[in-house]
Structures are given as structure tokens and as C-alpha cells.
PDB file of all heavy atoms in Angstrom:
ATOM      1  N   PHE K   1      80.078  69.733 148.361  1.00  0.00           N
ATOM      2  CA  PHE K   1      79.116  70.825 148.463  1.00  0.00           C
ATOM      3  C   PHE K   1      78.259  70.882 147.208  1.00  0.00           C
ATOM      4  O   PHE K   1      78.592  70.285 146.178  1.00  0.00           O
ATOM      5  CB  PHE K   1      79.822  72.161 148.704  1.00  0.00           C
ATOM      6  CG  PHE K   1      80.804  72.559 147.632  1.00  0.00           C
ATOM      7  CD1 PHE K   1      80.451  73.463 146.641  1.00  0.00           C
ATOM      8  CD2 PHE K   1      82.098  72.043 147.620  1.00  0.00           C
ATOM      9  CE1 PHE K   1      81.348  73.836 145.660  1.00  0.00           C
ATOM     10  CE2 PHE K   1      83.008  72.422 146.645  1.00  0.00           C
ATOM     11  CZ  PHE K   1      82.633  73.313 145.658  1.00  0.00           C
ATOM     12  N   ARG K   2      77.165  71.590 147.316  1.00  0.00           N
ATOM     13  CA  ARG K   2      76.287  71.824 146.170  1.00  0.00           C
ATOM     14  C   ARG K   2      76.378  73.281 145.770  1.00  0.00           C
ATOM     15  O   ARG K   2      76.560  74.160 146.611  1.00  0.00           O
ATOM     16  CB  ARG K   2      74.843  71.467 146.505  1.00  0.00           C
ATOM     17  CG  ARG K   2      74.653  69.974 146.610  1.00  0.00           C
ATOM     18  CD  ARG K   2      73.214  69.580 146.667  1.00  0.00           C
ATOM     19  NE  ARG K   2      73.142  68.128 146.680  1.00  0.00           N
ATOM     20  CZ  ARG K   2      72.130  67.447 147.131  1.00  0.00           C
ATOM     21  NH1 ARG K   2      71.063  68.081 147.596  1.00  0.00           N
ATOM     22  NH2 ARG K   2      72.139  66.132 147.105  1.00  0.00           N
ATOM     23  N   VAL K   3      76.227  73.513 144.474  1.00  0.00           N
ATOM     24  CA  VAL K   3      76.195  74.869 143.933  1.00  0.00           C
ATOM     25  C   VAL K   3      74.909  74.996 143.126  1.00  0.00           C
ATOM     26  O   VAL K   3      74.641  74.175 142.255  1.00  0.00           O
ATOM     27  CB  VAL K   3      77.407  75.171 143.029  1.00  0.00           C
ATOM     28  CG1 VAL K   3      77.323  76.589 142.478  1.00  0.00           C
ATOM     29  CG2 VAL K   3      78.708  74.962 143.776  1.00  0.00           C
ATOM     30  N   GLU K   4      74.139  76.035 143.460  1.00  0.00           N
ATOM     31  CA  GLU K   4      72.908  76.317 142.719  1.00  0.00           C
ATOM     32  C   GLU K   4      73.045  77.670 142.051  1.00  0.00           C
ATOM     33  O   GLU K   4      73.351  78.659 142.708  1.00  0.00           O
ATOM     34  CB  GLU K   4      71.713  76.316 143.671  1.00  0.00           C
ATOM     35  CG  GLU K   4      70.393  76.571 142.968  1.00  0.00           C
ATOM     36  CD  GLU K   4      69.236  76.559 143.938  1.00  0.00           C
ATOM     37  OE1 GLU K   4      68.776  75.462 144.311  1.00  0.00           O
ATOM     38  OE2 GLU K   4      68.806  77.666 144.332  1.00  0.00           O
ATOM     39  N   LEU K   5      72.841  77.691 140.745  1.00  0.00           N
ATOM     40  CA  LEU K   5      72.864  78.934 139.974  1.00  0.00           C
ATOM     41  C   LEU K   5      71.426  79.332 139.679  1.00  0.00           C
ATOM     42  O   LEU K   5      70.627  78.491 139.278  1.00  0.00           O
ATOM     43  CB  LEU K   5      73.584  78.730 138.639  1.00  0.00           C
ATOM     44  CG  LEU K   5      75.102  78.774 138.612  1.00  0.00           C
ATOM     45  CD1 LEU K   5      75.716  77.767 139.535  1.00  0.00           C
ATOM     46  CD2 LEU K   5      75.590  78.576 137.211  1.00  0.00           C
ATOM     47  N   ARG K   6      71.125  80.615 139.890  1.00  0.00           N
ATOM     48  CA  ARG K   6      69.795  81.147 139.565  1.00  0.00           C
ATOM     49  C   ARG K   6      69.950  82.461 138.845  1.00  0.00           C
ATOM     50  O   ARG K   6      70.580  83.358 139.378  1.00  0.00           O
ATOM     51  CB  ARG K   6      68.974  81.363 140.842  1.00  0.00           C
ATOM     52  CG  ARG K   6      68.453  80.063 141.381  1.00  0.00           C
ATOM     53  CD  ARG K   6      67.390  80.314 142.439  1.00  0.00           C
ATOM     54  NE  ARG K   6      66.905  79.065 142.951  1.00  0.00           N
ATOM     55  CZ  ARG K   6      65.807  78.451 142.514  1.00  0.00           C
ATOM     56  NH1 ARG K   6      65.088  78.990 141.565  1.00  0.00           N
ATOM     57  NH2 ARG K   6      65.435  77.308 143.031  1.00  0.00           N
ATOM     58  N   PRO K   7      69.382  82.607 137.666  1.00  0.00           N
ATOM     59  CA  PRO K   7      68.769  81.547 136.877  1.00  0.00           C
ATOM     60  C   PRO K   7      69.830  80.577 136.372  1.00  0.00           C
ATOM     61  O   PRO K   7      71.028  80.804 136.538  1.00  0.00           O
ATOM     62  CB  PRO K   7      68.122  82.307 135.714  1.00  0.00           C
ATOM     63  CG  PRO K   7      68.931  83.548 135.566  1.00  0.00           C
ATOM     64  CD  PRO K   7      69.395  83.890 136.968  1.00  0.00           C
ATOM     65  N   ALA K   8      69.371  79.511 135.729  1.00  0.00           N
ATOM     66  CA  ALA K   8      70.286  78.517 135.182  1.00  0.00           C
ATOM     67  C   ALA K   8      71.208  79.167 134.153  1.00  0.00           C
ATOM     68  O   ALA K   8      70.873  80.188 133.562  1.00  0.00           O
ATOM     69  CB  ALA K   8      69.489  77.394 134.518  1.00  0.00           C
ATOM     70  N   SER K   9      72.371  78.558 133.972  1.00  0.00           N
ATOM     71  CA  SER K   9      73.304  79.027 132.947  1.00  0.00           C
ATOM     72  C   SER K   9      73.742  77.832 132.120  1.00  0.00           C
ATOM     73  O   SER K   9      74.542  77.006 132.567  1.00  0.00           O
ATOM     74  CB  SER K   9      74.527  79.696 133.577  1.00  0.00           C
ATOM     75  OG  SER K   9      75.502  79.941 132.579  1.00  0.00           O
ATOM     76  N   ARG K  10      73.209  77.739 130.923  1.00  0.00           N
ATOM     77  CA  ARG K  10      73.578  76.646 130.020  1.00  0.00           C
ATOM     78  C   ARG K  10      75.061  76.715 129.678  1.00  0.00           C
ATOM     79  O   ARG K  10      75.733  75.697 129.564  1.00  0.00           O
ATOM     80  CB  ARG K  10      72.714  76.708 128.752  1.00  0.00           C
ATOM     81  CG  ARG K  10      72.992  75.608 127.783  1.00  0.00           C
ATOM     82  CD  ARG K  10      72.512  74.267 128.350  1.00  0.00           C
ATOM     83  NE  ARG K  10      72.942  73.214 127.455  1.00  0.00           N
ATOM     84  CZ  ARG K  10      73.881  72.317 127.749  1.00  0.00           C
ATOM     85  NH1 ARG K  10      74.460  72.319 128.922  1.00  0.00           N
ATOM     86  NH2 ARG K  10      74.214  71.411 126.880  1.00  0.00           N
ATOM     87  N   GLY K  11      75.600  77.923 129.536  1.00  0.00           N
ATOM     88  CA  GLY K  11      77.023  78.068 129.248  1.00  0.00           C
ATOM     89  C   GLY K  11      77.896  77.558 130.384  1.00  0.00           C
ATOM     90  O   GLY K  11      78.909  76.897 130.158  1.00  0.00           O
ATOM     91  N   PHE K  12      77.506  77.853 131.616  1.00  0.00           N
ATOM     92  CA  PHE K  12      78.233  77.342 132.782  1.00  0.00           C
ATOM     93  C   PHE K  12      78.205  75.814 132.783  1.00  0.00           C
ATOM     94  O   PHE K  12      79.229  75.175 132.990  1.00  0.00           O
ATOM     95  CB  PHE K  12      77.606  77.897 134.063  1.00  0.00           C
ATOM     96  CG  PHE K  12      78.181  77.331 135.325  1.00  0.00           C
ATOM     97  CD1 PHE K  12      79.297  77.892 135.909  1.00  0.00           C
ATOM     98  CD2 PHE K  12      77.599  76.227 135.946  1.00  0.00           C
ATOM     99  CE1 PHE K  12      79.831  77.374 137.080  1.00  0.00           C
ATOM    100  CE2 PHE K  12      78.121  75.702 137.108  1.00  0.00           C
ATOM    101  CZ  PHE K  12      79.244  76.280 137.677  1.00  0.00           C
ATOM    102  N   GLU K  13      77.019  75.258 132.542  1.00  0.00           N
ATOM    103  CA  GLU K  13      76.882  73.796 132.521  1.00  0.00           C
ATOM    104  C   GLU K  13      77.819  73.195 131.479  1.00  0.00           C
ATOM    105  O   GLU K  13      78.548  72.246 131.749  1.00  0.00           O
ATOM    106  CB  GLU K  13      75.444  73.402 132.203  1.00  0.00           C
ATOM    107  CG  GLU K  13      74.456  73.755 133.287  1.00  0.00           C
ATOM    108  CD  GLU K  13      73.004  73.558 132.857  1.00  0.00           C
ATOM    109  OE1 GLU K  13      72.747  72.958 131.784  1.00  0.00           O
ATOM    110  OE2 GLU K  13      72.113  74.014 133.599  1.00  0.00           O
ATOM    111  N   GLN K  14      77.792  73.770 130.292  1.00  0.00           N
ATOM    112  CA  GLN K  14      78.593  73.239 129.206  1.00  0.00           C
ATOM    113  C   GLN K  14      80.089  73.414 129.483  1.00  0.00           C
ATOM    114  O   GLN K  14      80.881  72.531 129.169  1.00  0.00           O
ATOM    115  CB  GLN K  14      78.200  73.919 127.903  1.00  0.00           C
ATOM    116  CG  GLN K  14      78.714  73.203 126.686  1.00  0.00           C
ATOM    117  CD  GLN K  14      78.136  73.759 125.417  1.00  0.00           C
ATOM    118  OE1 GLN K  14      77.925  74.969 125.324  1.00  0.00           O
ATOM    119  NE2 GLN K  14      77.881  72.908 124.460  1.00  0.00           N
ATOM    120  N   SER K  15      80.479  74.530 130.091  1.00  0.00           N
ATOM    121  CA  SER K  15      81.902  74.737 130.389  1.00  0.00           C
ATOM    122  C   SER K  15      82.401  73.680 131.377  1.00  0.00           C
ATOM    123  O   SER K  15      83.528  73.198 131.244  1.00  0.00           O
ATOM    124  CB  SER K  15      82.161  76.154 130.916  1.00  0.00           C
ATOM    125  OG  SER K  15      81.642  76.333 132.204  1.00  0.00           O
ATOM    126  N   LEU K  16      81.573  73.309 132.342  1.00  0.00           N
ATOM    127  CA  LEU K  16      81.967  72.246 133.273  1.00  0.00           C
ATOM    128  C   LEU K  16      82.060  70.900 132.563  1.00  0.00           C
ATOM    129  O   LEU K  16      83.017  70.150 132.753  1.00  0.00           O
ATOM    130  CB  LEU K  16      80.961  72.134 134.426  1.00  0.00           C
ATOM    131  CG  LEU K  16      81.048  73.151 135.542  1.00  0.00           C
ATOM    132  CD1 LEU K  16      79.988  72.862 136.598  1.00  0.00           C
ATOM    133  CD2 LEU K  16      82.421  73.167 136.182  1.00  0.00           C
ATOM    134  N   GLN K  17      81.040  70.582 131.766  1.00  0.00           N
ATOM    135  CA  GLN K  17      81.029  69.289 131.083  1.00  0.00           C
ATOM    136  C   GLN K  17      82.228  69.143 130.162  1.00  0.00           C
ATOM    137  O   GLN K  17      82.917  68.117 130.181  1.00  0.00           O
ATOM    138  CB  GLN K  17      79.717  69.139 130.299  1.00  0.00           C
ATOM    139  CG  GLN K  17      78.514  68.994 131.211  1.00  0.00           C
ATOM    140  CD  GLN K  17      77.188  69.247 130.496  1.00  0.00           C
ATOM    141  OE1 GLN K  17      77.123  69.953 129.499  1.00  0.00           O
ATOM    142  NE2 GLN K  17      76.131  68.669 131.037  1.00  0.00           N
ATOM    143  N   ILE K  18      82.502  70.163 129.384  1.00  0.00           N
ATOM    144  CA  ILE K  18      83.624  70.097 128.444  1.00  0.00           C
ATOM    145  C   ILE K  18      84.953  70.164 129.184  1.00  0.00           C
ATOM    146  O   ILE K  18      85.891  69.416 128.888  1.00  0.00           O
ATOM    147  CB  ILE K  18      83.511  71.198 127.377  1.00  0.00           C
ATOM    148  CG1 ILE K  18      82.297  70.911 126.476  1.00  0.00           C
ATOM    149  CG2 ILE K  18      84.791  71.296 126.544  1.00  0.00           C
ATOM    150  CD1 ILE K  18      81.959  72.027 125.508  1.00  0.00           C
ATOM    151  N   GLY K  19      85.047  71.051 130.181  1.00  0.00           N
ATOM    152  CA  GLY K  19      86.287  71.175 130.954  1.00  0.00           C
ATOM    153  C   GLY K  19      86.673  69.874 131.641  1.00  0.00           C
ATOM    154  O   GLY K  19      87.837  69.449 131.576  1.00  0.00           O
ATOM    155  N   TYR K  20      85.712  69.216 132.270  1.00  0.00           N
ATOM    156  CA  TYR K  20      86.009  67.942 132.929  1.00  0.00           C
ATOM    157  C   TYR K  20      86.292  66.854 131.898  1.00  0.00           C
ATOM    158  O   TYR K  20      87.099  65.948 132.144  1.00  0.00           O
ATOM    159  CB  TYR K  20      84.891  67.534 133.887  1.00  0.00           C
ATOM    160  CG  TYR K  20      85.048  68.168 135.243  1.00  0.00           C
ATOM    161  CD1 TYR K  20      84.497  69.407 135.534  1.00  0.00           C
ATOM    162  CD2 TYR K  20      85.773  67.536 136.246  1.00  0.00           C
ATOM    163  CE1 TYR K  20      84.659  70.004 136.778  1.00  0.00           C
ATOM    164  CE2 TYR K  20      85.949  68.114 137.495  1.00  0.00           C
ATOM    165  CZ  TYR K  20      85.385  69.352 137.753  1.00  0.00           C
ATOM    166  OH  TYR K  20      85.558  69.933 138.980  1.00  0.00           O
ATOM    167  N   GLY K  21      85.664  66.949 130.728  1.00  0.00           N
ATOM    168  CA  GLY K  21      85.963  66.006 129.654  1.00  0.00           C
ATOM    169  C   GLY K  21      87.404  66.146 129.187  1.00  0.00           C
ATOM    170  O   GLY K  21      88.106  65.148 128.983  1.00  0.00           O
ATOM    171  N   LEU K  22      87.854  67.387 129.017  1.00  0.00           N
ATOM    172  CA  LEU K  22      89.244  67.631 128.623  1.00  0.00           C
ATOM    173  C   LEU K  22      90.208  67.103 129.687  1.00  0.00           C
ATOM    174  O   LEU K  22      91.234  66.497 129.363  1.00  0.00           O
ATOM    175  CB  LEU K  22      89.479  69.127 128.399  1.00  0.00           C
ATOM    176  CG  LEU K  22      88.812  69.739 127.170  1.00  0.00           C
ATOM    177  CD1 LEU K  22      88.972  71.263 127.184  1.00  0.00           C
ATOM    178  CD2 LEU K  22      89.386  69.157 125.891  1.00  0.00           C
ATOM    179  N   ALA K  23      89.871  67.323 130.948  1.00  0.00           N
ATOM    180  CA  ALA K  23      90.726  66.830 132.034  1.00  0.00           C
ATOM    181  C   ALA K  23      90.804  65.304 131.989  1.00  0.00           C
ATOM    182  O   ALA K  23      91.882  64.721 132.137  1.00  0.00           O
ATOM    183  CB  ALA K  23      90.199  67.314 133.383  1.00  0.00           C
ATOM    184  N   GLY K  24      89.659  64.667 131.768  1.00  0.00           N
ATOM    185  CA  GLY K  24      89.618  63.210 131.689  1.00  0.00           C
ATOM    186  C   GLY K  24      90.435  62.663 130.531  1.00  0.00           C
ATOM    187  O   GLY K  24      90.953  61.547 130.589  1.00  0.00           O
ATOM    188  N   ASP K  25      90.571  63.464 129.470  1.00  0.00           N
ATOM    189  CA  ASP K  25      91.364  63.068 128.304  1.00  0.00           C
ATOM    190  C   ASP K  25      92.830  63.465 128.442  1.00  0.00           C
ATOM    191  O   ASP K  25      93.606  63.316 127.492  1.00  0.00           O
ATOM    192  CB  ASP K  25      90.797  63.715 127.033  1.00  0.00           C
ATOM    193  CG  ASP K  25      89.459  63.116 126.621  1.00  0.00           C
ATOM    194  OD1 ASP K  25      89.095  62.039 127.133  1.00  0.00           O
ATOM    195  OD2 ASP K  25      88.780  63.734 125.781  1.00  0.00           O
ATOM    196  N   GLY K  26      93.213  64.021 129.595  1.00  0.00           N
ATOM    197  CA  GLY K  26      94.608  64.416 129.810  1.00  0.00           C
ATOM    198  C   GLY K  26      94.996  65.686 129.083  1.00  0.00           C
ATOM    199  O   GLY K  26      96.181  65.934 128.847  1.00  0.00           O
ATOM    200  N   LEU K  27      94.002  66.518 128.736  1.00  0.00           N
ATOM    201  CA  LEU K  27      94.269  67.730 127.968  1.00  0.00           C
ATOM    202  C   LEU K  27      94.260  68.994 128.818  1.00  0.00           C
ATOM    203  O   LEU K  27      94.099  70.093 128.301  1.00  0.00           O
ATOM    204  CB  LEU K  27      93.257  67.840 126.820  1.00  0.00           C
ATOM    205  CG  LEU K  27      93.295  66.683 125.822  1.00  0.00           C
ATOM    206  CD1 LEU K  27      92.166  66.786 124.816  1.00  0.00           C
ATOM    207  CD2 LEU K  27      94.652  66.624 125.129  1.00  0.00           C
ATOM    208  N   CYS K  28      94.440  68.820 130.133  1.00  0.00           N
ATOM    209  CA  CYS K  28      94.511  69.970 131.046  1.00  0.00           C
ATOM    210  C   CYS K  28      95.828  69.949 131.803  1.00  0.00           C
ATOM    211  O   CYS K  28      96.433  68.902 132.000  1.00  0.00           O
ATOM    212  CB  CYS K  28      93.347  69.929 132.043  1.00  0.00           C
ATOM    213  SG  CYS K  28      91.754  70.321 131.308  1.00  0.00           S
ATOM    214  N   LYS K  29      96.236  71.126 132.234  1.00  0.00           N
ATOM    215  CA  LYS K  29      97.434  71.268 133.063  1.00  0.00           C
ATOM    216  C   LYS K  29      97.103  70.813 134.483  1.00  0.00           C
ATOM    217  O   LYS K  29      95.944  70.582 134.818  1.00  0.00           O
ATOM    218  CB  LYS K  29      97.879  72.733 133.082  1.00  0.00           C
ATOM    219  CG  LYS K  29      98.217  73.295 131.723  1.00  0.00           C
ATOM    220  CD  LYS K  29      98.520  74.783 131.828  1.00  0.00           C
ATOM    221  CE  LYS K  29      98.684  75.413 130.482  1.00  0.00           C
ATOM    222  NZ  LYS K  29      98.893  76.860 130.568  1.00  0.00           N
ATOM    223  N   SER K  30      98.110  70.772 135.338  1.00  0.00           N
ATOM    224  CA  SER K  30      97.893  70.334 136.726  1.00  0.00           C
ATOM    225  C   SER K  30      96.962  71.270 137.486  1.00  0.00           C
ATOM    226  O   SER K  30      96.328  70.862 138.449  1.00  0.00           O
ATOM    227  CB  SER K  30      99.226  70.193 137.460  1.00  0.00           C
ATOM    228  OG  SER K  30      99.890  71.448 137.499  1.00  0.00           O
ATOM    229  N   ASN K  31      96.833  72.540 137.045  1.00  0.00           N
ATOM    230  CA  ASN K  31      95.928  73.484 137.713  1.00  0.00           C
ATOM    231  C   ASN K  31      94.484  73.351 137.217  1.00  0.00           C
ATOM    232  O   ASN K  31      93.615  74.093 137.642  1.00  0.00           O
ATOM    233  CB  ASN K  31      96.425  74.923 137.540  1.00  0.00           C
ATOM    234  CG  ASN K  31      96.424  75.390 136.092  1.00  0.00           C
ATOM    235  OD1 ASN K  31      96.001  74.674 135.180  1.00  0.00           O
ATOM    236  ND2 ASN K  31      96.914  76.600 135.873  1.00  0.00           N
ATOM    237  N   GLY K  32      94.246  72.412 136.282  1.00  0.00           N
ATOM    238  CA  GLY K  32      92.905  72.193 135.776  1.00  0.00           C
ATOM    239  C   GLY K  32      92.559  72.986 134.531  1.00  0.00           C
ATOM    240  O   GLY K  32      91.521  72.763 133.916  1.00  0.00           O
ATOM    241  N   PHE K  33      93.406  73.928 134.130  1.00  0.00           N
ATOM    242  CA  PHE K  33      93.144  74.727 132.929  1.00  0.00           C
ATOM    243  C   PHE K  33      93.484  73.914 131.685  1.00  0.00           C
ATOM    244  O   PHE K  33      94.510  73.218 131.650  1.00  0.00           O
ATOM    245  CB  PHE K  33      93.977  76.009 132.924  1.00  0.00           C
ATOM    246  CG  PHE K  33      93.562  77.037 133.932  1.00  0.00           C
ATOM    247  CD1 PHE K  33      94.407  78.084 134.235  1.00  0.00           C
ATOM    248  CD2 PHE K  33      92.333  76.985 134.574  1.00  0.00           C
ATOM    249  CE1 PHE K  33      94.050  79.059 135.158  1.00  0.00           C
ATOM    250  CE2 PHE K  33      91.957  77.952 135.486  1.00  0.00           C
ATOM    251  CZ  PHE K  33      92.810  78.986 135.782  1.00  0.00           C
ATOM    252  N   PRO K  34      92.663  74.043 130.628  1.00  0.00           N
ATOM    253  CA  PRO K  34      92.994  73.354 129.376  1.00  0.00           C
ATOM    254  C   PRO K  34      94.361  73.796 128.851  1.00  0.00           C
ATOM    255  O   PRO K  34      94.742  74.957 128.974  1.00  0.00           O
ATOM    256  CB  PRO K  34      91.882  73.810 128.418  1.00  0.00           C
ATOM    257  CG  PRO K  34      90.739  74.155 129.309  1.00  0.00           C
ATOM    258  CD  PRO K  34      91.372  74.734 130.547  1.00  0.00           C
ATOM    259  N   LYS K  35      95.088  72.865 128.262  1.00  0.00           N
ATOM    260  CA  LYS K  35      96.392  73.171 127.682  1.00  0.00           C
ATOM    261  C   LYS K  35      96.256  74.077 126.467  1.00  0.00           C
ATOM    262  O   LYS K  35      97.132  74.893 126.204  1.00  0.00           O
ATOM    263  CB  LYS K  35      97.115  71.878 127.295  1.00  0.00           C
ATOM    264  CG  LYS K  35      97.512  71.034 128.490  1.00  0.00           C
ATOM    265  CD  LYS K  35      98.129  69.714 128.053  1.00  0.00           C
ATOM    266  CE  LYS K  35      98.479  68.859 129.269  1.00  0.00           C
ATOM    267  NZ  LYS K  35      98.997  67.540 128.862  1.00  0.00           N
ATOM    268  N   ASP K  36      95.168  73.944 125.734  1.00  0.00           N
ATOM    269  CA  ASP K  36      94.918  74.755 124.540  1.00  0.00           C
ATOM    270  C   ASP K  36      94.369  76.112 124.970  1.00  0.00           C
ATOM    271  O   ASP K  36      93.284  76.197 125.555  1.00  0.00           O
ATOM    272  CB  ASP K  36      93.928  74.038 123.629  1.00  0.00           C
ATOM    273  CG  ASP K  36      93.652  74.782 122.338  1.00  0.00           C
ATOM    274  OD1 ASP K  36      93.427  76.014 122.378  1.00  0.00           O
ATOM    275  OD2 ASP K  36      93.625  74.127 121.289  1.00  0.00           O
ATOM    276  N   LYS K  37      95.107  77.195 124.666  1.00  0.00           N
ATOM    277  CA  LYS K  37      94.693  78.529 125.107  1.00  0.00           C
ATOM    278  C   LYS K  37      93.362  78.949 124.489  1.00  0.00           C
ATOM    279  O   LYS K  37      92.598  79.694 125.094  1.00  0.00           O
ATOM    280  CB  LYS K  37      95.780  79.560 124.812  1.00  0.00           C
ATOM    281  CG  LYS K  37      96.018  79.827 123.340  1.00  0.00           C
ATOM    282  CD  LYS K  37      97.116  80.845 123.126  1.00  0.00           C
ATOM    283  CE  LYS K  37      97.315  81.113 121.647  1.00  0.00           C
ATOM    284  NZ  LYS K  37      98.368  82.074 121.398  1.00  0.00           N
ATOM    285  N   PHE K  38      93.061  78.469 123.286  1.00  0.00           N
ATOM    286  CA  PHE K  38      91.789  78.830 122.655  1.00  0.00           C
ATOM    287  C   PHE K  38      90.624  78.116 123.340  1.00  0.00           C
ATOM    288  O   PHE K  38      89.565  78.698 123.537  1.00  0.00           O
ATOM    289  CB  PHE K  38      91.825  78.514 121.159  1.00  0.00           C
ATOM    290  CG  PHE K  38      92.820  79.355 120.413  1.00  0.00           C
ATOM    291  CD1 PHE K  38      93.956  78.790 119.877  1.00  0.00           C
ATOM    292  CD2 PHE K  38      92.625  80.728 120.260  1.00  0.00           C
ATOM    293  CE1 PHE K  38      94.891  79.563 119.198  1.00  0.00           C
ATOM    294  CE2 PHE K  38      93.545  81.513 119.584  1.00  0.00           C
ATOM    295  CZ  PHE K  38      94.687  80.923 119.052  1.00  0.00           C
ATOM    296  N   ALA K  39      90.821  76.864 123.707  1.00  0.00           N
ATOM    297  CA  ALA K  39      89.786  76.137 124.444  1.00  0.00           C
ATOM    298  C   ALA K  39      89.542  76.800 125.798  1.00  0.00           C
ATOM    299  O   ALA K  39      88.399  76.988 126.211  1.00  0.00           O
ATOM    300  CB  ALA K  39      90.192  74.675 124.627  1.00  0.00           C
ATOM    301  N   LEU K  40      90.618  77.174 126.480  1.00  0.00           N
ATOM    302  CA  LEU K  40      90.497  77.861 127.768  1.00  0.00           C
ATOM    303  C   LEU K  40      89.693  79.145 127.622  1.00  0.00           C
ATOM    304  O   LEU K  40      88.755  79.401 128.390  1.00  0.00           O
ATOM    305  CB  LEU K  40      91.878  78.175 128.340  1.00  0.00           C
ATOM    306  CG  LEU K  40      91.913  79.102 129.560  1.00  0.00           C
ATOM    307  CD1 LEU K  40      91.226  78.461 130.751  1.00  0.00           C
ATOM    308  CD2 LEU K  40      93.341  79.479 129.905  1.00  0.00           C
ATOM    309  N   ALA K  41      90.029  79.945 126.636  1.00  0.00           N
ATOM    310  CA  ALA K  41      89.345  81.229 126.438  1.00  0.00           C
ATOM    311  C   ALA K  41      87.872  81.023 126.124  1.00  0.00           C
ATOM    312  O   ALA K  41      87.008  81.723 126.660  1.00  0.00           O
ATOM    313  CB  ALA K  41      90.026  82.010 125.320  1.00  0.00           C
ATOM    314  N   TRP K  42      87.567  80.055 125.270  1.00  0.00           N
ATOM    315  CA  TRP K  42      86.177  79.806 124.897  1.00  0.00           C
ATOM    316  C   TRP K  42      85.376  79.325 126.109  1.00  0.00           C
ATOM    317  O   TRP K  42      84.264  79.796 126.355  1.00  0.00           O
ATOM    318  CB  TRP K  42      86.126  78.797 123.749  1.00  0.00           C
ATOM    319  CG  TRP K  42      84.738  78.554 123.279  1.00  0.00           C
ATOM    320  CD1 TRP K  42      83.947  79.399 122.558  1.00  0.00           C
ATOM    321  CD2 TRP K  42      83.959  77.384 123.510  1.00  0.00           C
ATOM    322  NE1 TRP K  42      82.720  78.823 122.332  1.00  0.00           N
ATOM    323  CE2 TRP K  42      82.697  77.586 122.895  1.00  0.00           C
ATOM    324  CE3 TRP K  42      84.193  76.183 124.179  1.00  0.00           C
ATOM    325  CZ2 TRP K  42      81.685  76.636 122.928  1.00  0.00           C
ATOM    326  CZ3 TRP K  42      83.192  75.228 124.201  1.00  0.00           C
ATOM    327  CH2 TRP K  42      81.952  75.462 123.586  1.00  0.00           C
ATOM    328  N   LEU K  43      85.950  78.417 126.888  1.00  0.00           N
ATOM    329  CA  LEU K  43      85.244  77.920 128.081  1.00  0.00           C
ATOM    330  C   LEU K  43      85.025  79.032 129.099  1.00  0.00           C
ATOM    331  O   LEU K  43      83.970  79.115 129.734  1.00  0.00           O
ATOM    332  CB  LEU K  43      86.011  76.751 128.718  1.00  0.00           C
ATOM    333  CG  LEU K  43      86.025  75.466 127.903  1.00  0.00           C
ATOM    334  CD1 LEU K  43      86.944  74.443 128.556  1.00  0.00           C
ATOM    335  CD2 LEU K  43      84.627  74.905 127.736  1.00  0.00           C
TER     336      LEU K  43
END
């Protein structure tokens, strides 16, 4: 599916990019949340 945000949200974009990067590095739990509670809160 596609998701369109209006207006754009740079923070949303960055949270996805960083979140998926952490997952790719094995730094997320099985539910997709970052293992680091501070990273999770910031995202």
C-alpha cells in the first residue's frame, strides 16, 4: 500500500529511515521497536 502524508513530515520520514536502518543492523526487537529505549523515545 501507499501512504501519503499532508503536509509532509520530515520527522516522520526520518523516523522511518532511521528505524528501518536500526532493524537492518539487528538493533530492533522482534516487534520492530528499537532495543535502545532512548532511540525508541526519540524516534
Side-chain angles (χ1 to χ4, degrees):
F1 59 99
R2 288 191 176 158
V3 179
E4 181 180 280
L5 278 57
R6 284 193 180 264
S9 171
R10 182 69 187 110
F12 174 87
E13 292 171 11
Q14 195 171 36
S15 71
L16 282 181
Q17 291 163 334
I18 293 172
Y20 275 89
L22 290 172
D25 289 345
L27 299 174
C28 288
K29 300 175 187 176
S30 61
N31 64 3
F33 289 165
K35 293 176 182 176
D36 182 314
K37 67 181 181 181
F38 295 111
L40 170 64
W42 183 73
L43 291 173

